[in-house]
Amino acid sequence: EDQVTQSPEALRLQEGESSSLNCSYTVSGLRGLFWYRQDPGKGPEFLFTLYSAGEEKEKERLKATLTKKESFLHITAPKPEDSATYLCAVLYSGGGADGLTFGKGTHLIIQP
Amino acid sequence: DVKVTQSSRYLVKRTGEKVFLECVQDMDHENMFWYRQDPGLGLRLIYFSYDVKMKEKGDIPEGYSVSREKKERFSLILESASTNQTSMYLCASGFSGSYEQYFGPGTRLTVT
């Protein structure tokens, strides 16, 4: 059973069409939840860290929220340059010290 | 800006060869990590290091070893490359206790 599950696997939106990506996790003792953006052929780029339920972070058109069992990445009025794979990862007690456990990602395409 | 560099973007090796992947960071980070990324499997942690000469196994250490002789440099070694080690290899670094990790551009390794 995957410890971190992202949905949907792929999402195609029109420019300006807002939506949300989901990251659910089953680990106990969450120490942090992380969102990354990855462009094709490149390493992941850090976006946000969330530490406790109720916390929210924003950056431009992106807003990340956290509950006790899942996180959402809300994308408001997206532009084509927001197209990328968005990765969620968790750090938890009992995990490999400071190593992150990643979900498989959501591949987002924004059509002009 | 944090800079994590990896020695090669693309590498082609033959089965049985010894392979060295190098990673250098310029932010004086204590922690360094090696992941591999495969379609359908996501990113998986191979090894990490929280100090010079210190190392810890991640989720999939079999067939790999690491070396950290200097704080800024972390090497991944494939002692005898096999075709199932064909993958994208990603190095990351971060400050101890902050949990945020910054990734390099990746090395796409093909073993034939």
Side-chain angles (χ1 to χ4, degrees), chain A residues 31-32 34 36 38 41-46 48-49 51 87 91 96-104, chain B residues 9 31 33 35 37 40-43 45 48 59 88 90 96-106:
Chain A
R31 292 160 66 189
F34 306 82
Y36 287 84
Q38 187 173 26
K42 296 187 176 181
E45 175 190 345
F46 172 77
F48 303 110
T49 307
Y51 291 105
L87 300 171
L91 182 70
D98 290 344
L100 299 177
T101 300
F102 281 84
K104 294 183 174 59
Chain B
R9 292 301 309 275
N31 296 340
F33 308 82
Y35 294 86
Q37 186 174 30
L41 295 176
L43 277 102
L45 181 65
F48 63 96
D59 299 319
M88 169 72 92
L90 290 158
S96 177
S98 81
Y99 311 132
E100 293 169 9
Q101 295 181 21
Y102 298 89
F103 284 82

Side-chain angles (χ1 to χ4, degrees), chain A residues 13-19 61 75-80 82 110-112:
Chain A
L13 300 171
Q14 292 295 124
E15 183 172 1
E17 181 184 358
S18 302
S19 188
R61 294 176 292 281
I75 303 176
T76 302
K79 298 181 178 182
D82 294 321
I110 308 298
Q111 294 179 308

Side-chain angles (χ1 to χ4, degrees), chain A residues 11-111:
Chain A
L11 182 63
R12 189 182 296 265
L13 300 171
Q14 292 295 124
E15 183 172 1
E17 181 184 358
S18 302
S19 188
S20 297
L21 313 183
N22 178 263
C23 171
S24 63
Y25 57 93
T26 59
V27 302
S28 300
L30 184 74
R31 292 160 66 189
L33 185 140
F34 306 82
W35 283 98
Y36 287 84
R37 169 196 170 123
Q38 187 173 26
D39 293 301
K42 296 187 176 181
E45 175 190 345
F46 172 77
L47 293 174
F48 303 110
T49 307
L50 301 167
Y51 291 105
S52 56
E55 190 174 359
E56 298 182 353
K57 294 271 179 79
E58 282 190 71
K59 181 179 180 179
E60 296 181 357
R61 294 176 292 281
L62 300 177
K63 179 180 174 181
T65 62
L66 180 65
T67 70
K68 286 189 177 180
K69 284 300 174 188
E70 60 189 348
S71 175
F72 291 93
L73 184 65
H74 306 279
I75 303 176
T76 302
K79 298 181 178 182
E81 54 262 41
D82 294 321
S83 297
T85 296
Y86 290 85
L87 300 171
C88 167
V90 299
L91 182 70
Y92 63 100
S93 302
D98 290 344
L100 299 177
T101 300
F102 281 84
K104 294 183 174 59
T106 293
H107 182 51
L108 177 66
I109 298 172
I110 308 298
Q111 294 179 308

